mmCIF file of all heavy atoms in Angstrom:
data_model
loop_
_atom_site.group_PDB
_atom_site.id
_atom_site.type_symbol
_atom_site.label_atom_id
_atom_site.label_comp_id
_atom_site.label_asym_id
_atom_site.label_seq_id
_atom_site.Cartn_x
_atom_site.Cartn_y
_atom_site.Cartn_z
ATOM 1 N N PHE A 1 -14.366 -6.594 8.461
ATOM 2 C CA PHE A 1 -14.220 -5.262 7.860
ATOM 3 C C PHE A 1 -12.703 -4.927 7.694
ATOM 4 O O PHE A 1 -12.235 -4.651 6.601
ATOM 5 C CB PHE A 1 -14.889 -4.243 8.714
ATOM 6 C CG PHE A 1 -14.695 -2.814 8.282
ATOM 7 C CD1 PHE A 1 -15.181 -2.346 7.090
ATOM 8 C CD2 PHE A 1 -13.984 -1.925 9.117
ATOM 9 C CE1 PHE A 1 -14.959 -1.043 6.680
ATOM 10 C CE2 PHE A 1 -13.773 -0.641 8.729
ATOM 11 C CZ PHE A 1 -14.248 -0.177 7.510
ATOM 12 N N THR A 2 -11.968 -4.954 8.822
ATOM 13 C CA THR A 2 -10.540 -4.593 8.741
ATOM 14 C C THR A 2 -9.704 -5.646 8.045
ATOM 15 O O THR A 2 -8.779 -5.295 7.331
ATOM 16 C CB THR A 2 -9.962 -4.351 10.151
ATOM 17 O OG1 THR A 2 -10.270 -5.492 10.977
ATOM 18 C CG2 THR A 2 -10.552 -3.124 10.788
ATOM 19 N N GLY A 3 -10.090 -6.914 8.152
ATOM 20 C CA GLY A 3 -9.324 -7.982 7.489
ATOM 21 C C GLY A 3 -9.368 -7.825 5.989
ATOM 22 O O GLY A 3 -8.360 -8.046 5.311
ATOM 23 N N THR A 4 -10.535 -7.465 5.453
ATOM 24 C CA THR A 4 -10.654 -7.260 4.005
ATOM 25 C C THR A 4 -9.760 -6.116 3.524
ATOM 26 O O THR A 4 -9.072 -6.239 2.507
ATOM 27 C CB THR A 4 -12.114 -6.990 3.636
ATOM 28 O OG1 THR A 4 -12.930 -8.089 4.015
ATOM 29 C CG2 THR A 4 -12.282 -6.727 2.145
ATOM 30 N N VAL A 5 -9.748 -5.033 4.285
ATOM 31 C CA VAL A 5 -8.888 -3.902 3.891
ATOM 32 C C VAL A 5 -7.431 -4.251 3.910
ATOM 33 O O VAL A 5 -6.654 -3.908 3.015
ATOM 34 C CB VAL A 5 -9.165 -2.675 4.815
ATOM 35 C CG1 VAL A 5 -8.213 -1.541 4.479
ATOM 36 C CG2 VAL A 5 -10.589 -2.244 4.711
ATOM 37 N N VAL A 6 -7.002 -4.990 4.949
ATOM 38 C CA VAL A 6 -5.592 -5.394 5.058
ATOM 39 C C VAL A 6 -5.192 -6.261 3.865
ATOM 40 O O VAL A 6 -4.186 -6.053 3.237
ATOM 41 C CB VAL A 6 -5.337 -6.157 6.375
ATOM 42 C CG1 VAL A 6 -3.981 -6.849 6.376
ATOM 43 C CG2 VAL A 6 -5.415 -5.210 7.577
ATOM 44 N N ARG A 7 -6.019 -7.233 3.547
ATOM 45 C CA ARG A 7 -5.694 -8.132 2.409
ATOM 46 C C ARG A 7 -5.623 -7.340 1.109
ATOM 47 O O ARG A 7 -4.711 -7.556 0.284
ATOM 48 C CB ARG A 7 -6.746 -9.220 2.309
ATOM 49 C CG ARG A 7 -6.610 -10.311 3.385
ATOM 50 C CD ARG A 7 -7.478 -11.514 3.073
ATOM 51 N NE ARG A 7 -8.889 -11.155 3.013
ATOM 52 C CZ ARG A 7 -9.710 -11.122 4.058
ATOM 53 N NH1 ARG A 7 -9.229 -11.369 5.272
ATOM 54 N NH2 ARG A 7 -10.969 -10.805 3.918
ATOM 55 N N ASN A 8 -6.585 -6.437 0.901
ATOM 56 C CA ASN A 8 -6.585 -5.638 -0.362
ATOM 57 C C ASN A 8 -5.347 -4.827 -0.495
ATOM 58 O O ASN A 8 -4.734 -4.720 -1.570
ATOM 59 C CB ASN A 8 -7.837 -4.795 -0.435
ATOM 60 C CG ASN A 8 -9.114 -5.610 -0.624
ATOM 61 O OD1 ASN A 8 -9.036 -6.796 -1.022
ATOM 62 N ND2 ASN A 8 -10.234 -5.024 -0.374
ATOM 63 N N HIS A 9 -4.940 -4.141 0.617
ATOM 64 C CA HIS A 9 -3.738 -3.330 0.550
ATOM 65 C C HIS A 9 -2.503 -4.135 0.316
ATOM 66 O O HIS A 9 -1.594 -3.739 -0.470
ATOM 67 C CB HIS A 9 -3.609 -2.516 1.859
ATOM 68 C CG HIS A 9 -4.340 -1.222 1.889
ATOM 69 N ND1 HIS A 9 -5.718 -1.143 1.778
ATOM 70 C CD2 HIS A 9 -3.908 0.057 2.008
ATOM 71 C CE1 HIS A 9 -6.095 0.123 1.824
ATOM 72 N NE2 HIS A 9 -5.031 0.870 1.955
ATOM 73 N N ARG A 10 -2.381 -5.237 0.981
ATOM 74 C CA ARG A 10 -1.178 -6.062 0.845
ATOM 75 C C ARG A 10 -1.099 -6.663 -0.558
ATOM 76 O O ARG A 10 -0.002 -6.710 -1.150
ATOM 77 C CB ARG A 10 -1.172 -7.169 1.889
ATOM 78 C CG ARG A 10 0.227 -7.818 2.027
ATOM 79 C CD ARG A 10 0.393 -8.509 3.361
ATOM 80 N NE ARG A 10 1.783 -8.489 3.770
ATOM 81 C CZ ARG A 10 2.195 -8.823 4.978
ATOM 82 N NH1 ARG A 10 1.310 -9.157 5.923
ATOM 83 N NH2 ARG A 10 3.457 -8.797 5.291
ATOM 84 N N GLU A 11 -2.205 -7.075 -1.069
ATOM 85 C CA GLU A 11 -2.214 -7.647 -2.423
ATOM 86 C C GLU A 11 -1.836 -6.550 -3.455
ATOM 87 O O GLU A 11 -1.085 -6.825 -4.394
ATOM 88 C CB GLU A 11 -3.610 -8.193 -2.762
ATOM 89 C CG GLU A 11 -3.907 -9.517 -2.066
ATOM 90 C CD GLU A 11 -5.357 -9.917 -2.161
ATOM 91 O OE1 GLU A 11 -6.096 -9.249 -2.913
ATOM 92 O OE2 GLU A 11 -5.757 -10.942 -1.524
ATOM 93 N N ALA A 12 -2.331 -5.322 -3.219
ATOM 94 C CA ALA A 12 -1.956 -4.248 -4.159
ATOM 95 C C ALA A 12 -0.498 -3.953 -4.058
ATOM 96 O O ALA A 12 0.159 -3.725 -5.089
ATOM 97 C CB ALA A 12 -2.773 -2.985 -3.781
ATOM 98 N N TYR A 13 0.072 -3.987 -2.859
ATOM 99 C CA TYR A 13 1.517 -3.729 -2.675
ATOM 100 C C TYR A 13 2.316 -4.784 -3.393
ATOM 101 O O TYR A 13 3.278 -4.501 -4.139
ATOM 102 C CB TYR A 13 1.833 -3.720 -1.199
ATOM 103 C CG TYR A 13 3.285 -3.349 -0.903
ATOM 104 C CD1 TYR A 13 3.635 -2.067 -0.597
ATOM 105 C CD2 TYR A 13 4.278 -4.320 -0.950
ATOM 106 C CE1 TYR A 13 4.940 -1.714 -0.336
ATOM 107 C CE2 TYR A 13 5.588 -4.003 -0.705
ATOM 108 C CZ TYR A 13 5.938 -2.702 -0.388
ATOM 109 O OH TYR A 13 7.245 -2.383 -0.115
ATOM 110 N N GLN A 14 1.967 -6.048 -3.181
ATOM 111 C CA GLN A 14 2.734 -7.121 -3.789
ATOM 112 C C GLN A 14 2.527 -7.215 -5.297
ATOM 113 O O GLN A 14 3.450 -7.597 -6.012
ATOM 114 C CB GLN A 14 2.301 -8.462 -3.125
ATOM 115 C CG GLN A 14 2.754 -8.538 -1.665
ATOM 116 C CD GLN A 14 2.157 -9.702 -0.931
ATOM 117 O OE1 GLN A 14 1.139 -10.285 -1.396
ATOM 118 N NE2 GLN A 14 2.699 -10.021 0.241
ATOM 119 N N ARG A 15 1.380 -6.783 -5.766
ATOM 120 C CA ARG A 15 1.091 -6.825 -7.200
ATOM 121 C C ARG A 15 1.887 -5.749 -7.975
ATOM 122 O O ARG A 15 2.414 -5.980 -9.020
ATOM 123 C CB ARG A 15 -0.398 -6.647 -7.440
ATOM 124 C CG ARG A 15 -0.836 -6.760 -8.916
ATOM 125 C CD ARG A 15 -2.340 -6.787 -9.058
ATOM 126 N NE ARG A 15 -2.971 -5.562 -8.572
ATOM 127 C CZ ARG A 15 -3.717 -5.487 -7.503
ATOM 128 N NH1 ARG A 15 -3.938 -6.559 -6.756
ATOM 129 N NH2 ARG A 15 -4.226 -4.356 -7.093
ATOM 130 N N LYS A 16 1.953 -4.600 -7.393
ATOM 131 C CA LYS A 16 2.566 -3.477 -8.093
ATOM 132 C C LYS A 16 4.050 -3.270 -7.739
ATOM 133 O O LYS A 16 4.721 -2.467 -8.365
ATOM 134 C CB LYS A 16 1.812 -2.198 -7.812
ATOM 135 C CG LYS A 16 0.368 -2.224 -8.337
ATOM 136 C CD LYS A 16 -0.295 -0.909 -8.048
ATOM 137 C CE LYS A 16 -1.759 -0.890 -8.580
ATOM 138 N NZ LYS A 16 -2.449 0.360 -8.293
ATOM 139 N N ARG A 17 4.483 -3.985 -6.717
ATOM 140 C CA ARG A 17 5.854 -3.847 -6.235
ATOM 141 C C ARG A 17 6.031 -2.473 -5.557
ATOM 142 O O ARG A 17 5.338 -1.523 -5.814
ATOM 143 C CB ARG A 17 6.872 -4.028 -7.345
ATOM 144 C CG ARG A 17 6.792 -5.327 -8.083
ATOM 145 C CD ARG A 17 7.089 -6.509 -7.190
ATOM 146 N NE ARG A 17 7.080 -7.747 -7.929
ATOM 147 C CZ ARG A 17 7.281 -8.936 -7.341
ATOM 148 N NH1 ARG A 17 7.522 -8.985 -6.074
ATOM 149 N NH2 ARG A 17 7.225 -10.030 -8.074
ATOM 150 N N ARG A 18 7.006 -2.408 -4.723
ATOM 151 C CA ARG A 18 7.172 -1.214 -3.913
ATOM 152 C C ARG A 18 7.416 0.026 -4.747
ATOM 153 O O ARG A 18 6.883 1.133 -4.488
ATOM 154 C CB ARG A 18 8.367 -1.413 -2.937
ATOM 155 C CG ARG A 18 8.589 -0.200 -2.057
ATOM 156 C CD ARG A 18 9.738 -0.397 -1.098
ATOM 157 N NE ARG A 18 9.533 -1.574 -0.271
ATOM 158 C CZ ARG A 18 10.393 -1.905 0.701
ATOM 159 N NH1 ARG A 18 11.443 -1.174 0.922
ATOM 160 N NH2 ARG A 18 10.161 -2.966 1.439
ATOM 161 N N GLU A 19 8.266 -0.032 -5.806
ATOM 162 C CA GLU A 19 8.591 1.168 -6.518
ATOM 163 C C GLU A 19 7.398 1.802 -7.214
ATOM 164 O O GLU A 19 7.393 2.988 -7.492
ATOM 165 C CB GLU A 19 9.680 0.888 -7.556
ATOM 166 C CG GLU A 19 9.316 -0.117 -8.605
ATOM 167 C CD GLU A 19 9.634 -1.549 -8.213
ATOM 168 O OE1 GLU A 19 9.869 -1.780 -7.010
ATOM 169 O OE2 GLU A 19 9.661 -2.405 -9.111
ATOM 170 N N GLU A 20 6.343 0.982 -7.470
ATOM 171 C CA GLU A 20 5.128 1.542 -8.055
ATOM 172 C C GLU A 20 4.074 1.906 -7.028
ATOM 173 O O GLU A 20 3.306 2.809 -7.214
ATOM 174 C CB GLU A 20 4.551 0.532 -9.042
ATOM 175 C CG GLU A 20 5.450 0.234 -10.212
ATOM 176 C CD GLU A 20 4.848 -0.877 -11.101
ATOM 177 O OE1 GLU A 20 3.633 -1.085 -11.031
ATOM 178 O OE2 GLU A 20 5.614 -1.541 -11.831
ATOM 179 N N TYR A 21 4.115 1.149 -5.913
ATOM 180 C CA TYR A 21 3.069 1.346 -4.868
ATOM 181 C C TYR A 21 3.308 2.548 -4.020
ATOM 182 O O TYR A 21 2.424 3.246 -3.618
ATOM 183 C CB TYR A 21 3.029 0.053 -4.040
ATOM 184 C CG TYR A 21 1.961 0.050 -2.962
ATOM 185 C CD1 TYR A 21 0.621 -0.031 -3.290
ATOM 186 C CD2 TYR A 21 2.321 0.161 -1.618
ATOM 187 C CE1 TYR A 21 -0.355 -0.055 -2.320
ATOM 188 C CE2 TYR A 21 1.347 0.128 -0.625
ATOM 189 C CZ TYR A 21 0.021 0.011 -0.999
ATOM 190 O OH TYR A 21 -0.939 -0.008 0.002
ATOM 191 N N VAL A 22 4.619 2.783 -3.739
ATOM 192 C CA VAL A 22 4.967 3.902 -2.861
ATOM 193 C C VAL A 22 5.305 5.121 -3.702
ATOM 194 O O VAL A 22 6.182 5.084 -4.546
ATOM 195 C CB VAL A 22 6.156 3.544 -1.924
ATOM 196 C CG1 VAL A 22 6.479 4.713 -1.026
ATOM 197 C CG2 VAL A 22 5.815 2.311 -1.122
ATOM 198 N N ASP A 23 4.619 6.206 -3.448
ATOM 199 C CA ASP A 23 4.833 7.456 -4.178
ATOM 200 C C ASP A 23 6.191 8.026 -3.764
ATOM 201 O O ASP A 23 6.516 8.134 -2.599
ATOM 202 C CB ASP A 23 3.723 8.430 -3.832
ATOM 203 C CG ASP A 23 3.693 9.578 -4.861
ATOM 204 O OD1 ASP A 23 4.751 10.166 -5.144
ATOM 205 O OD2 ASP A 23 2.580 9.898 -5.323
ATOM 206 N N LYS A 24 7.043 8.354 -4.769
ATOM 207 C CA LYS A 24 8.379 8.891 -4.432
ATOM 208 C C LYS A 24 8.281 10.273 -3.787
ATOM 209 O O LYS A 24 9.207 10.720 -3.114
ATOM 210 C CB LYS A 24 9.200 8.990 -5.712
ATOM 211 C CG LYS A 24 9.464 7.652 -6.392
ATOM 212 C CD LYS A 24 10.245 6.720 -5.454
ATOM 213 C CE LYS A 24 10.683 5.444 -6.203
ATOM 214 N NZ LYS A 24 9.550 4.655 -6.637
ATOM 215 N N ASP A 25 7.198 10.958 -3.972
ATOM 216 C CA ASP A 25 7.024 12.299 -3.352
ATOM 217 C C ASP A 25 6.731 12.092 -1.865
ATOM 218 O O ASP A 25 5.682 11.611 -1.490
ATOM 219 C CB ASP A 25 5.844 13.020 -4.011
ATOM 220 C CG ASP A 25 5.619 14.395 -3.417
ATOM 221 O OD1 ASP A 25 6.353 14.767 -2.479
ATOM 222 O OD2 ASP A 25 4.662 15.101 -3.857
ATOM 223 N N GLN A 26 7.693 12.445 -1.049
ATOM 224 C CA GLN A 26 7.586 12.204 0.409
ATOM 225 C C GLN A 26 6.485 13.010 1.057
ATOM 226 O O GLN A 26 6.091 12.799 2.198
ATOM 227 C CB GLN A 26 8.916 12.453 1.098
ATOM 228 C CG GLN A 26 10.014 11.440 0.721
ATOM 229 C CD GLN A 26 9.609 10.050 1.100
ATOM 230 O OE1 GLN A 26 9.296 9.763 2.234
ATOM 231 N NE2 GLN A 26 9.593 9.143 0.121
ATOM 232 N N SER A 27 5.977 14.034 0.337
ATOM 233 C CA SER A 27 4.883 14.836 0.909
ATOM 234 C C SER A 27 3.548 14.125 0.749
ATOM 235 O O SER A 27 2.586 14.528 1.320
ATOM 236 C CB SER A 27 4.864 16.193 0.215
ATOM 237 O OG SER A 27 4.475 16.079 -1.120
ATOM 238 N N THR A 28 3.501 13.057 -0.093
ATOM 239 C CA THR A 28 2.247 12.355 -0.276
ATOM 240 C C THR A 28 1.857 11.627 0.994
ATOM 241 O O THR A 28 2.662 10.973 1.611
ATOM 242 C CB THR A 28 2.384 11.327 -1.422
ATOM 243 O OG1 THR A 28 2.717 12.025 -2.599
ATOM 244 C CG2 THR A 28 1.099 10.561 -1.632
ATOM 245 N N ARG A 29 0.596 11.769 1.400
ATOM 246 C CA ARG A 29 0.144 11.191 2.649
ATOM 247 C C ARG A 29 0.064 9.665 2.533
ATOM 248 O O ARG A 29 -0.499 9.124 1.561
ATOM 249 C CB ARG A 29 -1.255 11.748 3.008
ATOM 250 C CG ARG A 29 -1.739 11.218 4.344
ATOM 251 C CD ARG A 29 -3.008 11.890 4.732
ATOM 252 N NE ARG A 29 -4.141 11.501 3.885
ATOM 253 C CZ ARG A 29 -4.802 12.352 3.099
ATOM 254 N NH1 ARG A 29 -4.431 13.594 3.047
ATOM 255 N NH2 ARG A 29 -5.831 11.930 2.354
ATOM 256 N N LYS A 30 0.643 8.969 3.481
ATOM 257 C CA LYS A 30 0.505 7.520 3.577
ATOM 258 C C LYS A 30 -0.260 7.202 4.818
ATOM 259 O O LYS A 30 -0.010 7.804 5.888
ATOM 260 C CB LYS A 30 1.897 6.845 3.645
ATOM 261 C CG LYS A 30 2.808 7.157 2.487
ATOM 262 C CD LYS A 30 4.199 6.617 2.767
ATOM 263 C CE LYS A 30 5.190 7.121 1.746
ATOM 264 N NZ LYS A 30 6.564 6.792 2.140
ATOM 265 N N ASN A 31 -1.184 6.265 4.748
ATOM 266 C CA ASN A 31 -1.931 5.869 5.916
ATOM 267 C C ASN A 31 -1.134 4.932 6.785
ATOM 268 O O ASN A 31 -0.091 4.362 6.353
ATOM 269 C CB ASN A 31 -3.279 5.308 5.549
ATOM 270 C CG ASN A 31 -3.194 4.078 4.684
ATOM 271 O OD1 ASN A 31 -2.712 3.047 5.138
ATOM 272 N ND2 ASN A 31 -3.623 4.178 3.415
ATOM 273 N N PHE A 32 -1.620 4.664 7.981
ATOM 274 C CA PHE A 32 -0.952 3.820 8.969
ATOM 275 C C PHE A 32 -0.684 2.428 8.385
ATOM 276 O O PHE A 32 0.383 1.879 8.523
ATOM 277 C CB PHE A 32 -1.837 3.779 10.214
ATOM 278 C CG PHE A 32 -1.371 2.898 11.320
ATOM 279 C CD1 PHE A 32 -0.220 3.213 12.047
ATOM 280 C CD2 PHE A 32 -2.096 1.769 11.694
ATOM 281 C CE1 PHE A 32 0.211 2.391 13.070
ATOM 282 C CE2 PHE A 32 -1.678 0.967 12.740
ATOM 283 C CZ PHE A 32 -0.518 1.287 13.413
ATOM 284 N N LEU A 33 -1.707 1.859 7.754
ATOM 285 C CA LEU A 33 -1.570 0.516 7.216
ATOM 286 C C LEU A 33 -0.527 0.444 6.097
ATOM 287 O O LEU A 33 0.305 -0.507 6.065
ATOM 288 C CB LEU A 33 -2.910 0.013 6.715
ATOM 289 C CG LEU A 33 -2.951 -1.363 6.048
ATOM 290 C CD1 LEU A 33 -2.441 -2.422 6.994
ATOM 291 C CD2 LEU A 33 -4.391 -1.696 5.617
ATOM 292 N N GLN A 34 -0.503 1.409 5.216
ATOM 293 C CA GLN A 34 0.550 1.472 4.188
ATOM 294 C C GLN A 34 1.921 1.440 4.743
ATOM 295 O O GLN A 34 2.798 0.739 4.294
ATOM 296 C CB GLN A 34 0.355 2.715 3.318
ATOM 297 C CG GLN A 34 -0.752 2.617 2.243
ATOM 298 C CD GLN A 34 -0.843 3.906 1.498
ATOM 299 O OE1 GLN A 34 -0.919 4.995 2.098
ATOM 300 N NE2 GLN A 34 -0.901 3.815 0.174
#
């Protein structure tokens, strides 16, 4: 269960690159894994 979520998040991060994956608005909630 958790392994699938980790892989999906990491793939999304690497696919979109940090500047697209991380919201520039610092008020946007980021989860622990992000």
Side-chain angles (χ1 to χ4, degrees):
F1 174 66
T2 51
T4 299
V5 175
V6 168
R7 286 192 300 274
N8 290 344
H9 273 63
R10 195 159 211 169
E11 287 169 5
Y13 184 96
Q14 291 169 343
R15 184 172 61 250
K16 296 182 179 179
R17 304 294 183 183
R18 181 181 302 185
E19 62 271 16
E20 297 175 21
Y21 182 70
V22 180
D23 196 312
K24 297 300 188 296
D25 180 0
Q26 291 300 304
S27 66
T28 299
R29 183 175 68 245
K30 301 173 192 171
N31 61 66
F32 178 67
L33 177 56
Q34 280 177 312

